[in-house]
Amino acid sequence: MRVVMFGYQTWGHRTLQALLASEHDVVLAVTHPQSDHAYEKIWSDSVAELAAAHGVPVLLRNRPDDELLLTLKQVEPDLIVANNWRTWIPPEIVALPRHGILNVHDSLLPAYAGFSPLIWALINGEKEVGVTAHMMNAELDAGDIVVQRAIPVGPADTTTDLFHRTVDLIAPIVAESLDLIASGRSDWTPQDRSKASFFHKRSIEDSNIDWTWPAEDIERLVRAQSDPYPNAFTHYRGERVRVLKASVSKGIYGGTPGRVFIREGDGVVIVAGAEARRGRSHGLVIERVRTEDGTDLPAGEVFRTMGGYLTRRP
């Protein structure tokens, strides 16, 4: 088959590697220009550089345009394979290849369509994450499923851990999908749209800790925002403090959410949870932090005295 690849960052890079390793002819790679967005500067292996190194023509686009459509008509692809393409693909491009567009998405669709699925899934306490290859249709991440693979989420896993395990699924999933499509199969599995969910692109504000959340949820947020992602953060005495390591307290601590309360183990307990004032909530034990100058410290060296509050604003 003649294959065109649409993709960006490490997800697109791994997909292009899989296509180049296949028996199929990669005739064009379409990717986005480099971005300064915080979440797009990480996992930023270059699709353009990999394509150029293998003699594959490259087009840089923020979104499809008339020139791209004309180029696609000229190269006559049998299949387009997309992974981490960040903008809408119009119907005239979807309908152009005779086998359609195979999209690779790092969630267990129909759940967690859209952006940052691993981060949102970890925050929400999902027991599994994974990768889905599906045929693209007019609705985002909603087409019939070709191949889907899941991995378990462990109690100490970070999004970084889950990224490495799911990105390793891309090559075998792409290879299996290509074999199925090339064989003439088209009896794919429809998504159950009653179970669909769609999540927005994350911004820095989404990492700002809300101390009315239960401590269990905040602890998962900290793991979801592990390095190299922008860390979960809060404010203490007017300065931003990034939380690198935290756990749920052994004890129940009542009072006002955000209160710097007591030492426990190797950390400092912060009162958390909407029901904290009733004495029904565990606190969050902050164990390690990063100050605005980039210094990593034990929490006790920043919260030296008990009292005061952690807040969402300076």
Side-chain angles (χ1 to χ4, degrees):
M1 293 186 295
R2 293 172 59 81
V3 180
V4 169
M5 187 268 173
F6 278 53
Y8 186 48
Q9 294 177 278
T10 301
W11 296 271
H13 188 275
R14 289 291 186 95
T15 302
L16 180 57
Q17 282 182 325
L19 295 174
L20 291 168
S22 76
E23 63 184 15
H24 304 287
D25 186 14
V26 183
V27 295
L28 180 68
V30 185
T31 188
H32 300 301
Q34 286 187 324
S35 168
D36 288 330
H37 189 285
Y39 286 89
E40 295 183 11
K41 290 195 293 185
I42 56 178
W43 314 132
S44 57
D45 293 305
S46 173
V47 169
E49 291 178 6
L50 178 62
H54 287 81
V56 176
V58 177
L59 282 180
L60 295 178
R61 289 292 184 276
N62 283 313
R63 57 188 53 82
D65 55 19
D66 291 342
E67 182 184 353
L68 174 57
L69 178 60
L70 177 61
T71 302
L72 290 171
K73 289 178 178 179
Q74 291 171 343
V75 300
E76 298 181 327
D78 298 305
L79 177 71
I80 294 175
V81 179
N83 192 344
N84 199 38
W85 178 258
R86 314 290 281 183
T87 58
W88 180 66
I89 297 178
E92 56 267 31
I93 290 180
V94 176
L96 197 153
R98 65 187 180 97
H99 291 302
I101 299 182
L102 178 76
N103 185 53
V104 183
H105 181 72
D106 54 339
S107 84
L108 297 175
L109 293 173
Y112 296 94
F115 297 91
S116 305
L118 292 179
I119 295 175
W120 289 114
L122 182 52
I123 290 171
N124 291 331
E126 301 293 350
K127 301 303 182 186
E128 289 185 323
V129 295
V131 176
T132 303
H134 68 97
M135 301 310 300
M136 188 175 285
N137 62 16
E139 188 177 352
L140 184 61
D141 294 334
D144 292 353
I145 294 171
V146 178
V147 178
Q148 185 174 82
R149 297 287 180 268
I151 60 167
V153 178
D157 278 339
T158 66
T159 300
T160 307
D161 298 325
L162 299 178
F163 164 80
H164 287 298
R165 298 213 298 272
T166 54
V167 81
D168 285 344
L169 295 175
I170 291 173
I173 284 175
V174 168
E176 182 177 351
S177 298
L178 289 176
D179 287 346
L180 290 170
I181 293 167
S183 74
R185 281 274 302 275
S186 59
D187 54 333
W188 316 126
T189 304
Q191 293 189 36
D192 181 349
R193 302 309 295 157
S194 69
K195 297 179 180 179
S197 56
F198 181 87
F199 284 79
H200 63 75
K201 183 185 294 187
R202 291 186 65 81
S203 70
I204 296 301
E205 181 61 21
D206 297 314
S207 300
N208 192 347
I209 296 172
D210 182 345
W211 292 102
T212 66
W213 282 19
E216 294 83 356
D217 291 3
I218 301 174
E219 186 272 338
R220 290 196 301 268
L221 173 65
V222 170
R223 286 190 283 123
Q225 294 296 149
S226 57
D227 288 340
Y229 294 97
N231 306 114
F233 67 92
T234 189
H235 293 90
Y236 179 62
R237 296 179 177 175
E239 300 293 330
R240 180 180 292 195
V241 177
R242 302 174 190 275
V243 181
L244 304 183
K245 185 179 180 184
S247 58
V248 178
S249 70
K250 294 182 175 66
I252 302 293
Y253 297 99
T256 302
R259 175 79 171 190
V260 181
F261 191 20
I262 194 170
R263 296 181 186 275
E264 183 181 289
D266 294 328
V268 176
V269 175
I270 311 301
V271 177
E275 292 293 299
R277 67 184 177 84
R278 301 183 186 275
R280 296 175 182 171
S281 304
H282 289 272
L284 185 81
V285 183
I286 298 182
E287 298 167 8
R288 195 157 187 85
V289 300
R290 178 173 295 150
T291 58
E292 276 296 80
D293 65 2
T295 303
D296 292 2
L297 295 168
E301 292 189 20
V302 174
F303 312 123
R304 293 180 178 274
T305 59
M306 300 302 98
Y309 293 86
L310 302 185
T311 60
R312 289 177 61 83
R313 297 289 177 264

